[in-house]
Amino acid sequence: KPMEKSIKKHKRKPITLADHFTTGRLLRFVLPSIVMMVFISIYGVVDGLFVSNVVGKTAFASINLIMPFLMVFGGIGFMIGTGGSAIVARTLGEGDRERANRIFSMLIYVTVVVGIIFSAIGIAFLEPIARLLGADDAMIPYCLSYGRWNLIALTAFMLQNVFQSFLVTAEKPKIGLAVTVAAGCTNMVLDYLFVAVFRWGVAGAAVATGLSQCVGGVIPLVYFLLPQGRFNTSCLKLTRAGIDWNVLFHTVTNGSSELMSSISSSVVNMLYNKQLLRFEGENGVAAYGAIMYINFIFIAIFIGYAIGSAPIIGYNYGSGNTDELKNMFRKSILFNLITGVCLAGLAIAMSGLLTGIFVGYDAELEALTRHGFCIYALAFTVCGINIFGSSMFTALSNGLVSALISFLRTLLFQVTVVLVLPIFFDVEGVWASVLVAEVFALCVTTFFFVRMRKRYNYV
């Protein structure tokens, strides 16, 4: 008995949204979300890794050409997840758990219906979209094969993105991490089998990704369908729910920054590919694709922190706890500043190793990729603050400010600089475009931090 008491005494107390978050407690709470996003980015990278090294750089360039189109649909899941989880977290903070469950359930059902509709639309228009993006006759078969298989699994992909946010809101970030690890392992193992062993090429990589997304989307769905108690110990569950158009509209507008970010990133990536095709040809697209895959891993840390911290901010906003809002704001700015500088230095130091993994079989392509990545990596010093700023205003239910930061950061500034800088600096201007755009965005984010501080009392 004395031993049992000692164990209980030293056992860590479960973290809830109502807690005061010290630095250690905050890092414990957001760490599963960070690891989850990093793992998602790593297993997403595996597709490109196997395709590039086994199938070749034409196939690698092809999947990078069609990928932005596929990510637009995935952005809908992020929109529903981030916009909806902010509303659910605030409702939980207000003490109305029954209504929170109804809102949560409605949004999951809407995601399933929307996923099926967009899957059909995407498959129908895939070929003309691929040609519009610049795919030539050699690339078209790869684009269609990779795109169709991924679109078949689109509903699961959207659910996976939605549940990333809601599992944190349900105070179960570790379950989200476990599901992500399971999905990632599925993808990596199947990529090896389908691409390297069975030699199914691009189709094998796409099927592996689709099946892993089913793991990531279906397991949380089953978990929340279970009755609360022994199996579902979270504060959320799926129940009967009708359409609440007001909440749905608020979800869409509140989460529009995430959709805007996804659409903008896709449009910008298409534009980057166009510019690099002009300057460097197929090698330019392949180099940019490798940089994007590496970038996903680094940027995932900032996104994971934003996903993990947003429900805390939303809950304390709903409960009126301004002291905790101030605490979260200070710690979040500090975290993103320190992490940004460290990641930029690490990326540059490891640039040779990281780019060599993808394109080490071609010396010219590897040199081009490494040079571009070293310039691109400087953007890590500031982008974390911008990502957190957009996420914070979403959590505060200010979708307009959040969407404006996201729109300017990921679309207007990047489109402008990627069109203007190459006029003066050729391909160097393409590589530097992200850094310049992020600096402009930081000015906007800082402006809104100062402008809104008295309204929300986070300073």
Side-chain angles (χ1 to χ4, degrees), residues 33 36 40 52 71-72 79 82 97 123 135 175 189 223 227 335 340 365 419 424 439 458:
S33 296
M36 175 179 70
I40 287 174
S52 179
M71 295 308 296
V72 169
M79 175 189 70
T82 54
R97 180 169 292 193
I123 292 172
I175 293 180
V189 171
Y223 175 78
F335 172 86
L365 177 57
L419 289 175
F424 303 99
V439 171
Y458 48 74

Side-chain angles (χ1 to χ4, degrees), residues 9-81:
K9 182 179 178 181
H10 291 90
K11 188 177 181 181
R12 284 180 173 177
K13 178 186 174 183
I15 302 174
T16 67
L17 296 177
D19 288 347
H20 167 64
F21 282 84
T22 62
T23 300
R25 186 170 288 268
L26 175 60
L27 292 178
R28 278 177 55 203
F29 189 79
V30 302
L31 184 60
S33 296
I34 293 174
V35 176
M36 175 179 70
M37 290 307 302
V38 170
F39 203 84
I40 287 174
S41 66
I42 289 174
Y43 85 68
V45 164
V46 172
D47 273 6
L49 188 63
F50 276 101
V51 169
S52 179
N53 285 279
V54 177
V55 188
K57 67 180 181 181
T58 300
F60 183 53
S62 300
I63 66 173
N64 290 314
L65 205 63
I66 201 64
M67 183 66 76
F69 173 65
L70 303 175
M71 295 308 296
V72 169
F73 295 117
I76 298 172
F78 281 118
M79 175 189 70
I80 295 173

Side-chain angles (χ1 to χ4, degrees), residues 263-275:
I263 293 175
S264 301
S265 297
S266 297
V267 171
V268 168
N269 286 347
M270 296 172 194
L271 188 56
Y272 271 72
N273 285 330
K274 287 278 189 181
Q275 290 284 61

